[in-house]
């Protein structure tokens, strides 16, 4: 439609409808131009052949100019610049022939050449711009897809690393407990006051604990590859959260610690819940120190054996968070979410009323 409109405009103001008809009647001019415009439907499949077909028509039809410009644009979009420039020059070369076919042209040769030159240059330039834009869009799309794949890989690695860390921690916790069982069973086995049946039972318990410990080391100990042979230190629980608060205060963050468990006289949950809770508070305070240094932090811990454990940490949003880079939006929370989900809990985080808020709910496991 654009080619037909451009050709019709050139026919109405050009030489084809001059006071004295030329050797090519304007009706034939229009008919040839309309056929050339319809041939643009083949521009994507055969751009070079289309240009070779329609460009010579510029010598007999001004109506075909729209189709010619469309063909030159397609060449600039899909072929080398020199090919498009050559056909554009060919279009300019048809101007003298076209004027020779007019008995009394309205405009001079130079006017026709300048008009055709401007239109051809615009078609080539527009085609080059569209080609570069397509290349840029494709490049940006590939970069976005690559970045998305890399981010997915980093998230998967963070989750895998967190699972490996949990397995190493559980290895040491279970190894310690099995060692204690074996130790007490050995002491009971050697006690002179026990009966023969108790002596035999203690021996079975000691041997079973020792075998379980060896199997545990064989199955999970492979996770220590690259991490050294030293065992993990004793895993802290919720009772050690006060140390984390003290460290955060020494680093410049004023932490308001509302320990509702202690206020209500509820003992801290031991075992898995306590270890996961410690890790949650550690990651939350680290994020606050990293993304909002010097800001006041609110820490609330409450719950009970029937309701589960709830941990809420919030701090004012920093300037980077307001601009879209929320605190804790990296891979630390990805691993933390993996740990919480494996413990049967839920993690939620986000912005609310100008503050970054992290809330975790855990079952009261022992």
């Amino acid at each position: 439609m654009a080619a037909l409109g451009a050709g019709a405009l050139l026919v109405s103001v050009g030489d084809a409808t001059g006071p004295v008809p030329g050797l090519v009647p304007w009706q034939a001019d229009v008919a040839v131009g309309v056929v050339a415009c319809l041939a643009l439907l083949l521009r994507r499949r055969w751009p070079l052949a289309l240009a070779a077909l329609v460009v010579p028509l510029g010598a007999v039809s001004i109506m075909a100019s729209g189709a010619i410009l469309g063909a030159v644009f397609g060449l600039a979009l899909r072929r080398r610049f020199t090919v498009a420039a050559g056909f554009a020059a060919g279009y300019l070369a048809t101007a003298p022939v076209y004027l020779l076919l007019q008995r009394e042209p309205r405009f001079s040769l130079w006017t026709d050449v300048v008009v055709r030159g401007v239109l051809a240059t615009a078609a080539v330039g527009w085609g080059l711009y569209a080609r570069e834009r397509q290349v840029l869009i494709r490049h940006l799309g590939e970069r976005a897809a690559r970045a998305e794949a890399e981010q997915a890989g980093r998230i998967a690695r963070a989750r895998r690393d967190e699972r490996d860390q949990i397995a190493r921690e559980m290895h040491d916790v279970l190894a310690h407990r099995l060692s204690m069982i074996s130790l007490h069973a050995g002491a009971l086995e050697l006690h002179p006051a026990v009966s023969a049946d108790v002596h035999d039972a203690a021996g079975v318990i000691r041997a079973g604990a020792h075998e379980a410990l060896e199997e545990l080391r064989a199955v999970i100990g492979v996770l220590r590859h690259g991490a050294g042979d030293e065992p993990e230190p004793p895993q802290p629980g919720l009772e050690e959260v006060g140390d984390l608060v003290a460290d955060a205060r020494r680093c410049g963050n004023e932490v308001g610690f509302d320990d509702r468990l202690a206020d209500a006289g509820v003992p801290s949950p031991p075992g898995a819940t306590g270890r996961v809770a410690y890790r949650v508070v550690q990651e939350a305070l680290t994020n606050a120190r990293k993304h909002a240094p010097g800001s006041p932090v609110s820490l609330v811990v409450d719950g009970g054996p029937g309701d589960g454990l709830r941990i809420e940490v919030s701090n004012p949003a920093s300037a980077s968070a307001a601009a879209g880079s929320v605190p804790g939006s990296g891979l630390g929370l990805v691993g933390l979410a993996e740990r919480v989900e494996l413990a049967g809990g839920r993690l939620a985080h986000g912005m609310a009323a100008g503050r970054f808020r992290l809330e975790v709910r855990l079952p009261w496991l022992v």
Side-chain angles (χ1 to χ4, degrees):
M1 294 302 296
L4 287 172
L9 177 63
L10 292 175
V11 167
S12 63
V13 301
D15 300 312
T17 56
V20 180
L23 297 179
V24 180
W26 70 267
Q27 295 88 347
D29 187 328
V30 171
V32 171
V34 169
V35 173
C37 290
L38 293 178
L40 286 177
L41 296 174
L42 306 175
R43 66 188 183 278
R44 289 187 175 87
R45 181 173 296 181
W46 297 299
L48 192 61
L50 174 65
L53 174 67
V54 300
V55 167
L57 298 179
V60 296
S61 172
I62 196 66
M63 179 72 181
S65 295
I68 295 171
L69 295 174
V72 171
F73 167 80
L75 284 178
L77 181 63
R78 298 177 179 87
R79 294 292 187 269
R80 296 192 304 272
F81 167 74
T82 53
V83 176
F87 277 93
Y91 173 53
L92 296 180
T94 61
V97 180
Y98 178 80
L99 288 180
L100 289 175
L101 298 178
Q102 309 301 320
R103 290 193 175 92
E104 293 185 12
R106 292 180 178 179
F107 305 104
S108 66
L109 173 63
W110 294 110
T111 302
D112 199 355
V113 170
V114 168
V115 171
R116 293 190 184 210
V118 170
L119 294 177
T121 302
V124 173
W126 187 17
L128 293 176
Y129 165 75
R131 182 171 65 182
E132 292 302 320
R133 186 172 181 272
Q134 286 183 353
V135 171
L136 177 61
I137 291 175
R138 184 166 58 251
H139 177 65
L140 292 177
E142 292 173 354
R143 286 184 58 185
R146 187 165 56 250
E148 184 177 354
E150 291 174 354
Q151 178 66 9
R154 285 193 294 268
I155 290 175
R157 285 194 298 273
R159 289 175 173 168
R160 185 173 61 250
D161 292 345
E162 192 67 25
R163 285 174 176 253
D164 291 346
Q165 179 66 24
I166 293 171
R168 288 194 296 268
E169 293 174 2
M170 291 304 300
H171 170 270
D172 295 313
V173 170
L174 293 177
H176 173 71
R177 292 186 177 180
L178 288 174
S179 298
M180 294 302 296
I181 292 174
S182 178
L183 177 64
H184 285 84
L188 184 61
E189 183 182 12
L190 297 177
H191 197 282
V194 299
S195 64
D197 293 338
V198 174
H199 179 276
D200 294 340
V204 171
I205 294 173
R206 181 184 56 78
H210 180 73
E211 292 175 2
L213 182 58
E214 292 299 323
E215 292 175 359
L216 180 66
R217 287 172 177 167
V219 173
I220 306 181
V222 69
L223 294 173
R224 296 197 182 282
H225 177 70
D229 296 327
E230 292 297 324
E232 298 284 337
Q235 299 304 310
L238 198 57
E239 298 87 351
E240 286 77 22
V241 165
D243 297 335
L244 295 176
V245 172
D247 290 339
R249 288 170 177 169
R250 281 194 295 270
C251 292
N253 285 97
E254 182 59 36
V255 181
F257 182 21
D258 185 4
D259 189 357
R260 300 179 183 177
L261 293 181
D263 296 343
V266 179
S268 297
T273 300
R275 292 191 297 271
V276 175
Y278 179 90
R279 181 71 176 83
V280 167
V281 176
Q282 183 183 45
E283 179 67 25
L285 294 181
T286 300
N287 281 341
R289 184 168 62 251
K290 182 187 303 181
H291 299 284
S295 299
V297 181
S298 173
L299 170 61
V300 178
V301 178
D302 65 357
D307 302 326
L309 182 66
R310 185 179 75 91
I311 303 172
E312 180 181 327
V313 185
S314 65
N315 58 269
S318 62
S320 60
S325 177
V326 250
S329 60
L331 299 179
L333 283 183
V334 173
L336 189 62
E338 185 74 10
R339 182 182 289 261
V340 170
E341 290 175 5
L342 290 175
R346 300 190 309 273
L347 182 147
H349 63 87
M351 300 295 299
R355 295 179 65 86
F356 180 77
R357 180 172 171 270
L358 170 69
E359 181 178 7
V360 171
R361 293 183 177 272
L362 296 167
W364 198 275
L365 302 178
V366 298

